[in-house]
Amino acid sequence: MIKRNRAAITKFIIHKVGNKFNSATNIFSETELTFDQESYELMVPFLLKPFVNLAQSYRFNHHANIDLNEINSYATQIFNDETVFVEISKHIVNHLYEQSNSAQIKTGDVLIAIIEDIEYNEVLTNAIGIFKIENKLDFFQTYMDNNSFDVAVQKGISTKKLDKGCLIINTSDADGKVVLSVDANNYDANYWVNHFLNLKYANDNNQHTQNYIEMCKEFSEEILKDDFGIQEKNKFLAKTVDFLKENETVNIHDFKEEIFDENEDQKELFDTYKKQYEEVNDVLVRNQFAVSEIVLKKQKQKIKTEIKLDTNIQIKLDVDAPDASIEYIEKGYDEDKKMKFYKVYFNEEE
C-alpha cells in the first residue's frame, strides 16, 4: 500500500514494444518527455492510483541468483545512477519484447518513470514505475474546416484504467526489493508477473492470510459442498471469516476446534486437504500467523455464499452471520411434490 500525496515524476520516457510473433518491432524514444502542467496532473494519478489499495507485495525471483533477475538488475542500476535512465529503459523494453512468446501478446506503449517522494509503510522513498498500455479507445476530435466544425475519430489512452504496471520501491527486506504489480488483463496472466518481472509473493502476513483463505475456499468448494451440501459449505465459510475477524493470530489447532467443534471426520478431511493443497499449489499454508485485516477485508468481498436453485431462486447468506444458516434455514423434502425445499424463518422483510 502506498500514499501518493507528495509523489512526483522526475523522469519519464515512452517507448513502443512490439511482438516478435507478428514482426512488430520496438520503437524507442531517445530523450525523456517533458510534461505540460495539464498532462502531468492527469498522468500522476493515472499511474499511481491502482497501487494505493494494494495489500500484497512481491519480491523478485530467480532460480539461481536473485541478482540475475533482469528487471531487478535494471532497477538497481537506475537507483544507483539516474543518468543511465534512458539507456536502461530501452533494455527494459527489449526484455519485455523477448517475453512475447505468443501471438496473443499485445503490442503497446511502455511508460517508464522515476517517481520521488512516494510513501510506502509510512516512509518516503523513490520508485521506478514500468507501465504498459495495450488498449486505446476511440474518441471524437472536433476541428474547424471551411468555417464549419467537423469531427474526426482518433485513438487515445483512457485515464480510467491501467492495463499493466509495476512499482519497484527503493526499499528492501530480507527477501529483496518490494514490488507492487497490477494487471487488468487475464488472458496473458503469466506474461507480466511470471515471465517479464519474474516475481514471487512476499513471505509476510498478507500472503499467509491470503493462502489460508484461498485454501479454505477451495476446501469448502471441493470437499464440503460435494460431500455435505451447499449449506454446510456456506456455514464453514461464514465461520472461517468470523474466526479471522475475532482473532489477531490464527492457530490451526484452535481454528479446527472452533470451526468443526467435535466433528472429527471434518477435522481429518481438513488436515488431509491442507497437505494436498500445499503439494498441488507448491505453497506453504502456515499453521500459525498474524491475520492481515486488509487482506481479510478484500477476500471477504469475494466469498460467495449464495444457494442457487434450479427453480430460478437464490438464497444469499450473510458471510458475517455464521449461525444464521443453522438457526433460520431448514432443509427438507416434500413427498407430494417430490422436491427438496428450504424453509426460511424471519420477522420482517424489506
Side-chain angles (χ1 to χ4, degrees):
M1 178 178 291
I2 65 162
K3 292 182 180 178
R4 57 183 177 88
N5 309 55
R6 289 177 279 185
I9 298 173
T10 57
K11 288 183 178 293
F12 189 89
I13 197 165
I14 301 174
H15 304 296
K16 186 175 287 292
V17 65
N19 184 309
K20 58 187 177 183
F21 272 78
N22 58 23
S23 301
T25 59
N26 298 333
I27 302 174
F28 297 108
S29 296
E30 296 301 328
T31 57
E32 299 169 27
L33 182 148
T34 301
F35 288 101
D36 58 54
Q37 188 65 27
E38 185 177 9
S39 59
Y40 179 82
E41 290 178 355
L42 280 173
M43 185 65 72
V44 174
F46 168 61
L47 297 181
L48 297 185
K49 187 176 179 180
F51 301 93
V52 169
N53 292 318
L54 286 184
Q56 292 171 278
S57 63
Y58 294 89
R59 302 295 182 271
F60 286 115
N61 187 36
H62 195 275
H63 68 278
N65 186 330
I66 194 63
D67 293 333
L68 298 178
N69 180 296
E70 288 87 347
I71 301 303
N72 181 36
S73 174
Y74 294 145
T76 299
Q77 292 179 61
I78 294 174
F79 283 136
N80 290 339
D81 181 7
E82 292 188 3
T83 63
V84 301
F85 173 72
V86 174
E87 176 189 355
I88 297 300
S89 72
K90 296 178 182 179
H91 294 324
I92 291 171
V93 173
N94 283 329
H95 177 61
L96 181 61
Y97 175 83
E98 291 301 320
Q99 311 316 309
S100 57
N101 295 319
S102 165
Q104 291 184 322
I105 302 298
K106 294 182 179 180
T107 61
D109 297 333
V110 181
L111 289 55
I112 302 175
I114 296 178
I115 304 161
E116 302 285 350
D117 291 336
I118 197 165
E119 186 175 332
Y120 179 77
N121 283 349
E122 300 181 350
V123 176
L124 283 180
T125 184
N126 59 330
I128 296 168
I130 306 171
F131 315 92
K132 186 184 177 190
I133 309 300
E134 298 178 327
N135 300 296
K136 294 187 178 181
L137 301 179
D138 293 331
F139 66 93
F140 289 111
Q141 178 66 52
T142 60
Y143 64 97
M144 180 68 74
D145 184 31
N146 293 326
N147 297 321
S148 295
F149 279 105
D150 202 345
V151 295
V153 176
Q154 297 182 347
K155 286 187 177 293
I157 299 171
S158 169
T159 59
K160 302 297 182 183
K161 186 181 74 170
L162 183 66
D163 290 317
K164 288 177 169 59
C166 77
L167 284 180
I168 305 164
I169 311 294
N170 194 14
T171 186
S172 302
D173 57 20
D175 294 325
K177 293 185 186 71
V178 174
V179 184
L180 306 176
S181 179
V182 295
D183 189 347
N185 302 317
N186 295 322
Y187 70 93
D188 58 355
N190 289 323
Y191 160 66
W192 184 255
V193 169
N194 294 339
H195 297 158
F196 170 56
L197 296 170
N198 191 3
L199 300 176
K200 62 180 180 180
Y201 277 114
N203 184 25
D204 58 15
N205 291 327
N206 288 332
Q207 188 56 32
H208 301 159
T209 305
Q210 173 84 7
N211 289 342
Y212 202 86
I213 294 174
E214 289 291 344
M215 181 197 67
C216 288
K217 286 163 61 178
E218 294 296 321
F219 172 75
S220 72
E221 184 70 28
E222 296 180 13
I223 304 299
L224 294 181
K225 179 182 175 182
D226 290 345
D227 294 350
F228 301 95
I230 296 177
Q231 192 174 2
E232 192 70 18
K233 166 202 165 183
N234 292 335
K235 182 181 75 172
F236 168 78
L237 289 174
K239 291 178 73 174
T240 296
V241 169
D242 192 59
F243 183 90
L244 295 175
K245 285 167 51 182
E246 297 299 323
N247 293 272
E248 294 183 356
T249 301
V250 168
N251 176 282
I252 196 168
H253 174 76
D254 297 339
F255 175 83
K256 290 186 295 182
E257 288 299 313
E258 183 169 328
I259 301 299
F260 300 117
D261 197 15
E262 297 181 0
N263 192 326
E264 298 299 325
D265 290 340
Q266 288 191 1
K267 290 179 186 177
E268 186 175 339
L269 286 170
F270 185 80
D271 287 336
T272 301
Y273 186 81
K274 179 177 180 292
K275 293 177 183 178
Q276 294 174 347
Y277 182 87
E278 290 176 324
E279 183 177 342
V280 170
N281 295 280
D282 191 24
V283 64
L284 174 64
V285 179
R286 299 273 178 159
N287 292 330
Q288 184 162 324
F289 60 92
V291 176
S292 166
E293 292 184 7
I294 189 169
V295 171
L296 175 60
K297 182 178 179 180
K298 286 181 174 293
Q299 288 300 309
K300 189 179 74 170
Q301 296 171 350
K302 300 178 182 180
I303 293 177
K304 297 180 179 180
T305 55
E306 296 94 351
I307 300 175
K308 296 182 179 180
L309 308 177
D310 58 3
T311 51
N312 298 320
I313 294 174
Q314 295 185 23
I315 302 173
K316 186 174 183 180
L317 306 177
D318 189 346
V319 74
D320 289 318
D323 297 324
S325 64
I326 302 172
E327 296 180 17
Y328 305 122
I329 295 180
E330 292 181 10
K331 187 176 183 180
Y333 185 81
D334 189 297
E335 291 290 348
D336 294 333
K337 291 188 175 183
K338 304 299 181 186
M339 296 175 70
K340 301 172 186 176
F341 67 82
Y342 281 105
K343 183 188 289 187
V344 182
Y345 295 92
F346 65 96
N347 293 311
E348 297 178 0
E349 60 183 334
E350 296 180 1

